[in-house]
Amino acid sequence: MTSTALTAPELEALRRLAVQVARRCGELIEDRPADLGVAATKSSEVDIVTVMDRRSEDLATSLLSAARPDDGLLGEEGVSRAGRTGITWVVDPIDGTVNYLYRIPSYSVSVAAVVGDPTVPGAWQPVASAVHNPVTGETFHAAQGAGAVLADGSGERTLRASDADRLEVALIGTGFGYDAARRAEQGRLVARLLPQVRDIRRLGSAALDLCAVACGRLDGYYEQGINAWDLAGGWLVAAEAGARVSGADGAAPSPTLTVAAAPGIADALLSALRESGG
Ligand code: IPD
Ligand code: CA
């Protein structure tokens, strides 16, 4: 895993920028056209992109480029630029696009500064990030080694993952990809896990799922098939809140498997997933 020699003030500056950009993009996506529709489909007919996904990514790109012109950029809707500083900004301009389209208030903008190459699983890690839900006004943010915070209309609080210590009473979030064959496999895995846990939630934004683990709204979360932009912002928030974030068998989180869990159930969740075929 890549390490960083960034100082605490440098990390704080990256965190502040992440918060600022995520909130500006959040304002933009809430100012939606009345006739908002699906602009295009991506990997399948159910994998949609709205015109606002693109506008949000364009805004994030211009704000980040203005503030830090030498950093790299990687965004879900296609922005990809190599940098010269060792830092790359990984952006999900709307995470939970289907919720956004249906006006289900569970979507977010995720902005993360990472070190290493975010296109290679296991070769990168987030060092500062923000995940903002523009409907609730909640901003989850974190800097490496400095903890995770939830800021909302009533102030700021430091986040801690839950103290769950038994899988049988743990509330677990998950998500499903857009490819039909992958979904069938994910359905088989969740069917095997469901009898072993308190219940399952599918909230619709991987970034918010990871933040939910950070603040104890979920005891754990797992998903197969998520990308760097779904993962980067929430990974750091969950880890800085004391959750264990990994892939299968202690590897780095990756598209193969990402698991975030309160420390008291992390081993049990990982082994239940392994035994269930995950
Ligand atoms: C999706 C959401 C969803 C997760 C999918 C992601 P998008 O991102 O995070 O919760 O289950 O795997 O692709 O398409 O809404 O940006
Ligand atoms: Ca996403």
Side-chain angles (χ1 to χ4, degrees):
M1 178 75 66
T2 314
S3 69
T4 166
L6 294 163
T7 63
E10 285 169 334
L11 290 167
E12 274 313 308
L14 296 173
R15 183 209 300 244
R16 277 196 302 278
L17 181 59
V19 168
Q20 205 185 325
V21 172
R23 287 182 175 157
R24 287 280 300 278
C25 292
E27 277 168 30
L28 176 105
I29 65 177
E30 285 312 277
D31 188 17
R32 59 170 102 195
D35 60 344
L36 177 70
V38 175
T41 57
K42 292 189 284 192
S43 59
S44 75
E45 213 179 343
V46 289
D47 186 1
I48 52 156
V49 52
T50 68
V51 64
M52 299 308 276
D53 287 85
R54 295 215 174 104
R55 284 192 202 158
S56 177
E57 185 159 303
D58 288 349
L59 177 60
T61 299
S62 70
L63 293 171
L64 291 166
S65 302
R68 298 192 50 104
D70 295 329
D71 292 352
L73 275 169
L74 178 70
E76 175 164 23
E77 305 314 334
V79 69
S80 177
R81 184 181 81 196
R84 289 197 297 257
T85 59
I87 292 171
T88 300
W89 291 91
V90 179
V91 174
D92 197 328
I94 304 179
D95 185 50
T97 305
V98 175
N99 284 347
Y100 178 70
L101 194 64
Y102 282 75
R103 294 183 182 267
I104 296 169
S106 180
Y107 50 87
S108 59
V109 178
S110 176
V111 178
V114 316
V115 294
D117 182 349
T119 65
V120 181
W124 62 279
Q125 65 186 94
V127 294
S129 72
V131 175
H132 177 64
N133 178 336
V135 185
T136 61
E138 292 179 321
T139 311
F140 299 86
H141 55 88
Q144 191 179 52
V149 163
L150 168 56
D152 60 17
S154 58
E156 292 208 341
R157 69 184 171 90
T158 301
L159 298 179
R160 289 310 298 164
S162 82
D163 56 7
D165 58 4
R166 284 190 306 133
L167 197 56
E168 308 87 273
V169 287
L171 185 62
I172 305 298
T174 190
F176 308 112
Y178 294 106
D179 173 72
R182 177 181 286 279
R183 283 184 166 185
E185 194 189 306
Q186 289 171 323
R188 287 189 284 274
L189 176 58
V190 77
R192 287 193 285 261
L193 187 66
L194 182 55
Q196 304 178 58
V197 300
R198 183 193 294 277
D199 208 343
I200 293 285
R201 293 289 180 271
R202 196 287 194 248
L203 302 174
S205 160
L208 289 177
D209 287 323
L210 288 158
C211 294
V213 175
C215 66
R217 291 177 191 167
L218 291 174
D219 298 307
Y221 159 79
Y222 75 93
E223 187 165 345
Q224 298 163 307
I226 65 170
N227 294 296
W229 41 81
D230 306 305
L231 167 64
W235 170 4
L236 186 66
V237 173
E240 286 294 324
R244 270 184 39 201
V245 186
S246 74
D249 298 323
S254 76
T256 309
L257 181 68
T258 291
V259 182
I265 60 152
D267 286 332
L269 179 58
L270 281 163
S271 41
L273 287 166
R274 195 169 41 243
E275 280 155 25
S276 305

